[in-house]
Amino acid sequence: EDQVTQSPEALRLQEGESSSLNCSYTVSGLRGLFWYRQDPGKGPEFLFTLYSAGEEKEKERLKATLTKKESFLHITAPKPEDSATYLCAVSLSSNTGKLIFGQGTTLQVKP
Amino acid sequence: ETGVTQTPRHLVMGMTNKKSLKCEQHLGHNAMYWYKQSAKKPLELMFVYSLEERVENNSVPSRFSPECPNSSHLFLHLHTLQPEDSALYLCASSQEGTTETQYFGPGTRLLVL
């Protein structure tokens, strides 16, 4: 069964304290891996797409990496405005229209 | 308007009511999606429309009925819902054949009494 698991479920950081979120996946054939940010009461906001192992993408304090079994979202020197739920999703080579989501990691950054 | 818009943003309905959710995308995409997001659960794909044709229906109860009149508009018609259908309903769109990244609307928060 195709599955996406995110850890930790919740993460509390002090402002400036760098950390990483994990997304591990077990799928029959990976086409792409997506990271989204979701604020309370809002829709997910697209961050990154990764397609192949070894690929990395950066945006401000965020950096996403991909291996054959997992992806990491590294947050460097986070600020309170980075507080949100971060969602990971994969698309399959057999069904490009379908995203399988993990349950998300809720990040709280305290000043 | 830009991106993906959804109306209404909040909806309260009784179990015998009939209502509709509306989604409009301004991105020129050719695929649209309905998702359900319940507390503490991953997003669940409900329906996929590609080029205005339904290509996937993830075993969704018949009390949810989608409609895609053109590539920019998507509706979700609701009737005789159950309290467990209370959730955030999200619409998304993408351009198939390219990056296929899905862009989401703000969602409709539905409460069924």
Side-chain angles (χ1 to χ4, degrees), chain B residues 3-22:
Chain B
V4 181
T5 59
Q6 291 186 242
T7 55
R9 294 294 313 278
H10 301 273
L11 180 61
V12 179
M13 59 187 291
M15 295 169 60
T16 58
N17 291 160
K18 290 184 179 181
K19 296 286 184 182
S20 295
L21 310 184
K22 178 184 176 182

Side-chain angles (χ1 to χ4, degrees), chain A residues 10-94:
Chain A
L11 182 62
R12 289 184 177 183
L13 299 173
Q14 289 295 128
E15 184 173 1
E17 179 186 2
S18 301
S19 187
S20 297
L21 312 183
N22 178 264
C23 171
S24 62
Y25 57 91
T26 306
V27 297
S28 51
L30 179 73
R31 179 174 177 84
L33 186 141
F34 303 81
W35 282 100
Y36 289 86
R37 168 193 170 129
Q38 187 174 25
D39 293 301
K42 296 187 177 181
E45 175 189 347
F46 170 70
L47 293 174
F48 304 108
T49 308
L50 302 167
Y51 289 104
S52 56
E55 188 174 0
E56 299 181 351
K57 289 194 176 173
E58 288 187 68
K59 180 181 179 180
E60 296 180 354
R61 295 176 293 281
L62 301 177
K63 178 180 177 180
T65 62
L66 181 65
T67 71
K68 289 186 178 180
K69 293 184 178 181
E70 60 191 347
S71 176
F72 291 94
L73 185 65
H74 307 280
I75 304 177
T76 303
K79 298 182 178 182
E81 52 262 42
D82 295 321
S83 298
T85 295
Y86 291 86
L87 303 174
C88 170
V90 299
S91 63
L92 308 180
S93 53
S94 60

Side-chain angles (χ1 to χ4, degrees), chain B residues 29-97:
Chain B
H29 289 163
N30 58 13
M32 297 186 77
Y33 312 80
W34 279 116
Y35 285 87
K36 176 183 179 182
Q37 187 174 35
S38 304
K40 304 295 184 183
K41 292 179 67 176
L43 268 75
E44 301 173 59
L45 179 65
M46 300 175 71
F47 300 103
V48 180
Y49 275 83
S50 176
L51 299 173
E52 301 156 40
E53 288 192 18
R54 189 190 311 180
V55 297
E56 182 141 354
N57 172 358
N58 264 12
S59 302
V60 179
S62 59
R63 56 186 183 269
F64 295 91
S65 175
E67 178 189 0
C68 187
N70 55 60
S71 60
S72 298
H73 294 87
L74 185 65
F75 295 89
L76 188 63
H77 304 297
L78 316 172
H79 64 96
T80 58
L81 294 190
Q82 304 297 310
E84 59 264 30
D85 297 322
S86 299
L88 181 67
Y89 288 85
L90 292 161
C91 173
S93 71
S94 71
Q95 183 64 25
E96 290 192 340

